[in-house]
PDB file of all heavy atoms in Angstrom:
ATOM      1  N   LYS A 544     -54.620 -74.976 -48.867  1.00 97.00           N
ATOM      2  CA  LYS A 544     -55.898 -74.351 -49.184  1.00 97.00           C
ATOM      3  C   LYS A 544     -57.017 -74.859 -48.274  1.00 97.00           C
ATOM      4  O   LYS A 544     -58.024 -74.176 -48.074  1.00 97.00           O
ATOM      5  CB  LYS A 544     -56.264 -74.582 -50.650  1.00 97.00           C
ATOM      6  CG  LYS A 544     -56.576 -76.022 -51.023  1.00 97.00           C
ATOM      7  CD  LYS A 544     -56.873 -76.170 -52.517  1.00 97.00           C
ATOM      8  CE  LYS A 544     -58.157 -75.447 -52.914  1.00 97.00           C
ATOM      9  NZ  LYS A 544     -58.482 -75.663 -54.338  1.00 97.00           N
ATOM     10  N   PHE A 545     -56.846 -76.053 -47.691  1.00 98.00           N
ATOM     11  CA  PHE A 545     -57.870 -76.611 -46.817  1.00 98.00           C
ATOM     12  C   PHE A 545     -57.665 -76.227 -45.349  1.00 98.00           C
ATOM     13  O   PHE A 545     -58.541 -76.459 -44.525  1.00 98.00           O
ATOM     14  CB  PHE A 545     -57.903 -78.139 -46.963  1.00 98.00           C
ATOM     15  CG  PHE A 545     -58.282 -78.582 -48.355  1.00 98.00           C
ATOM     16  CD1 PHE A 545     -57.319 -79.028 -49.237  1.00 98.00           C
ATOM     17  CD2 PHE A 545     -59.601 -78.511 -48.784  1.00 98.00           C
ATOM     18  CE1 PHE A 545     -57.661 -79.419 -50.523  1.00 98.00           C
ATOM     19  CE2 PHE A 545     -59.960 -78.899 -50.068  1.00 98.00           C
ATOM     20  CZ  PHE A 545     -58.974 -79.352 -50.948  1.00 98.00           C
ATOM     21  N   ASN A 546     -56.507 -75.665 -45.035  1.00 97.00           N
ATOM     22  CA  ASN A 546     -56.247 -75.137 -43.691  1.00 97.00           C
ATOM     23  C   ASN A 546     -55.211 -74.019 -43.800  1.00 97.00           C
ATOM     24  O   ASN A 546     -54.015 -74.256 -43.594  1.00 97.00           O
ATOM     25  CB  ASN A 546     -55.756 -76.231 -42.744  1.00 97.00           C
ATOM     26  CG  ASN A 546     -55.611 -75.722 -41.313  1.00 97.00           C
ATOM     27  OD1 ASN A 546     -55.855 -74.546 -41.031  1.00 97.00           O
ATOM     28  ND2 ASN A 546     -55.203 -76.590 -40.405  1.00 97.00           N
ATOM     29  N   PRO A 547     -55.661 -72.809 -44.110  1.00 96.00           N
ATOM     30  CA  PRO A 547     -54.727 -71.692 -44.311  1.00 96.00           C
ATOM     31  C   PRO A 547     -53.916 -71.333 -43.074  1.00 96.00           C
ATOM     32  O   PRO A 547     -52.919 -70.606 -43.182  1.00 96.00           O
ATOM     33  CB  PRO A 547     -55.662 -70.531 -44.713  1.00 96.00           C
ATOM     34  CG  PRO A 547     -56.917 -71.179 -45.198  1.00 96.00           C
ATOM     35  CD  PRO A 547     -57.058 -72.430 -44.384  1.00 96.00           C
ATOM     36  N   ARG A 548     -54.318 -71.836 -41.900  1.00 94.00           N
ATOM     37  CA  ARG A 548     -53.557 -71.533 -40.690  1.00 94.00           C
ATOM     38  C   ARG A 548     -52.180 -72.193 -40.704  1.00 94.00           C
ATOM     39  O   ARG A 548     -51.275 -71.752 -39.991  1.00 94.00           O
ATOM     40  CB  ARG A 548     -54.333 -71.977 -39.447  1.00 94.00           C
ATOM     41  CG  ARG A 548     -55.592 -71.158 -39.181  1.00 94.00           C
ATOM     42  CD  ARG A 548     -56.359 -71.722 -38.010  1.00 94.00           C
ATOM     43  NE  ARG A 548     -56.837 -73.073 -38.290  1.00 94.00           N
ATOM     44  CZ  ARG A 548     -57.444 -73.864 -37.413  1.00 94.00           C
ATOM     45  NH1 ARG A 548     -57.623 -73.445 -36.167  1.00 94.00           N
ATOM     46  NH2 ARG A 548     -57.858 -75.065 -37.751  1.00 94.00           N
ATOM     47  N   ILE A 549     -52.032 -73.246 -41.497  1.00 95.00           N
ATOM     48  CA  ILE A 549     -50.718 -73.877 -41.634  1.00 95.00           C
ATOM     49  C   ILE A 549     -49.930 -73.090 -42.682  1.00 95.00           C
ATOM     50  O   ILE A 549     -50.264 -73.093 -43.865  1.00 95.00           O
ATOM     51  CB  ILE A 549     -50.851 -75.351 -42.037  1.00 95.00           C
ATOM     52  CG1 ILE A 549     -51.592 -76.131 -40.951  1.00 95.00           C
ATOM     53  CG2 ILE A 549     -49.468 -75.967 -42.274  1.00 95.00           C
ATOM     54  CD1 ILE A 549     -51.817 -77.587 -41.283  1.00 95.00           C
ATOM     55  N   LYS A 550     -48.910 -72.421 -42.240  1.00 93.00           N
ATOM     56  CA  LYS A 550     -48.141 -71.546 -43.117  1.00 93.00           C
ATOM     57  C   LYS A 550     -47.057 -72.290 -43.892  1.00 93.00           C
ATOM     58  O   LYS A 550     -46.601 -71.814 -44.937  1.00 93.00           O
ATOM     59  CB  LYS A 550     -47.495 -70.419 -42.303  1.00 93.00           C
ATOM     60  CG  LYS A 550     -48.492 -69.592 -41.494  1.00 93.00           C
ATOM     61  CD  LYS A 550     -49.546 -68.952 -42.391  1.00 93.00           C
ATOM     62  CE  LYS A 550     -50.525 -68.104 -41.572  1.00 93.00           C
ATOM     63  NZ  LYS A 550     -51.622 -67.576 -42.422  1.00 93.00           N
ATOM     64  N   ALA A 551     -46.602 -73.411 -43.371  1.00 95.00           N
ATOM     65  CA  ALA A 551     -45.513 -74.145 -44.027  1.00 95.00           C
ATOM     66  C   ALA A 551     -45.651 -75.634 -43.747  1.00 95.00           C
ATOM     67  O   ALA A 551     -46.337 -76.046 -42.803  1.00 95.00           O
ATOM     68  CB  ALA A 551     -44.159 -73.635 -43.543  1.00 95.00           C
ATOM     69  N   PHE A 552     -44.990 -76.431 -44.573  1.00 98.00           N
ATOM     70  CA  PHE A 552     -44.945 -77.877 -44.400  1.00 98.00           C
ATOM     71  C   PHE A 552     -43.491 -78.320 -44.438  1.00 98.00           C
ATOM     72  O   PHE A 552     -42.616 -77.611 -44.955  1.00 98.00           O
ATOM     73  CB  PHE A 552     -45.713 -78.583 -45.525  1.00 98.00           C
ATOM     74  CG  PHE A 552     -47.193 -78.342 -45.511  1.00 98.00           C
ATOM     75  CD1 PHE A 552     -47.734 -77.224 -46.122  1.00 98.00           C
ATOM     76  CD2 PHE A 552     -48.050 -79.230 -44.882  1.00 98.00           C
ATOM     77  CE1 PHE A 552     -49.098 -76.991 -46.116  1.00 98.00           C
ATOM     78  CE2 PHE A 552     -49.415 -79.017 -44.861  1.00 98.00           C
ATOM     79  CZ  PHE A 552     -49.943 -77.894 -45.486  1.00 98.00           C
ATOM     80  N   ASP A 553     -43.240 -79.503 -43.894  1.00 97.00           N
ATOM     81  CA  ASP A 553     -41.914 -80.089 -44.070  1.00 97.00           C
ATOM     82  C   ASP A 553     -41.842 -80.640 -45.489  1.00 97.00           C
ATOM     83  O   ASP A 553     -42.516 -81.608 -45.832  1.00 97.00           O
ATOM     84  CB  ASP A 553     -41.666 -81.214 -43.066  1.00 97.00           C
ATOM     85  CG  ASP A 553     -40.413 -82.006 -43.446  1.00 97.00           C
ATOM     86  OD1 ASP A 553     -39.395 -81.343 -43.708  1.00 97.00           O
ATOM     87  OD2 ASP A 553     -40.479 -83.246 -43.507  1.00 97.00           O
ATOM     88  N   THR A 554     -41.038 -79.993 -46.315  1.00 98.00           N
ATOM     89  CA  THR A 554     -40.855 -80.394 -47.711  1.00 98.00           C
ATOM     90  C   THR A 554     -39.391 -80.731 -47.977  1.00 98.00           C
ATOM     91  O   THR A 554     -38.893 -80.584 -49.094  1.00 98.00           O
ATOM     92  CB  THR A 554     -41.313 -79.270 -48.661  1.00 98.00           C
ATOM     93  OG1 THR A 554     -40.595 -78.061 -48.339  1.00 98.00           O
ATOM     94  CG2 THR A 554     -42.801 -78.994 -48.511  1.00 98.00           C
ATOM     95  N   SER A 555     -38.703 -81.189 -46.953  1.00 96.00           N
ATOM     96  CA  SER A 555     -37.252 -81.372 -47.033  1.00 96.00           C
ATOM     97  C   SER A 555     -36.831 -82.361 -48.104  1.00 96.00           C
ATOM     98  O   SER A 555     -35.740 -82.228 -48.680  1.00 96.00           O
ATOM     99  CB  SER A 555     -36.706 -81.805 -45.672  1.00 96.00           C
ATOM    100  OG  SER A 555     -37.365 -82.961 -45.190  1.00 96.00           O
ATOM    101  N   VAL A 556     -37.641 -83.358 -48.420  1.00 96.00           N
ATOM    102  CA  VAL A 556     -37.243 -84.331 -49.440  1.00 96.00           C
ATOM    103  C   VAL A 556     -37.221 -83.709 -50.829  1.00 96.00           C
ATOM    104  O   VAL A 556     -36.584 -84.231 -51.745  1.00 96.00           O
ATOM    105  CB  VAL A 556     -38.158 -85.580 -49.440  1.00 96.00           C
ATOM    106  CG1 VAL A 556     -38.031 -86.332 -48.127  1.00 96.00           C
ATOM    107  CG2 VAL A 556     -39.604 -85.219 -49.727  1.00 96.00           C
ATOM    108  N   PHE A 557     -37.905 -82.582 -50.975  1.00 97.00           N
ATOM    109  CA  PHE A 557     -37.951 -81.896 -52.269  1.00 97.00           C
ATOM    110  C   PHE A 557     -36.956 -80.738 -52.359  1.00 97.00           C
ATOM    111  O   PHE A 557     -36.407 -80.478 -53.426  1.00 97.00           O
ATOM    112  CB  PHE A 557     -39.356 -81.360 -52.529  1.00 97.00           C
ATOM    113  CG  PHE A 557     -40.437 -82.383 -52.370  1.00 97.00           C
ATOM    114  CD1 PHE A 557     -41.480 -82.188 -51.465  1.00 97.00           C
ATOM    115  CD2 PHE A 557     -40.428 -83.554 -53.108  1.00 97.00           C
ATOM    116  CE1 PHE A 557     -42.479 -83.125 -51.305  1.00 97.00           C
ATOM    117  CE2 PHE A 557     -41.430 -84.507 -52.953  1.00 97.00           C
ATOM    118  CZ  PHE A 557     -42.457 -84.296 -52.048  1.00 97.00           C
TER     119      PHE A 557
END
Side-chain angles (χ1 to χ4, degrees):
K544 67 182 294 183
F545 297 102
N546 185 359
R548 292 175 296 174
I549 298 178
K550 304 301 181 185
F552 293 85
D553 168 48
T554 56
S555 55
V556 296
F557 308 122

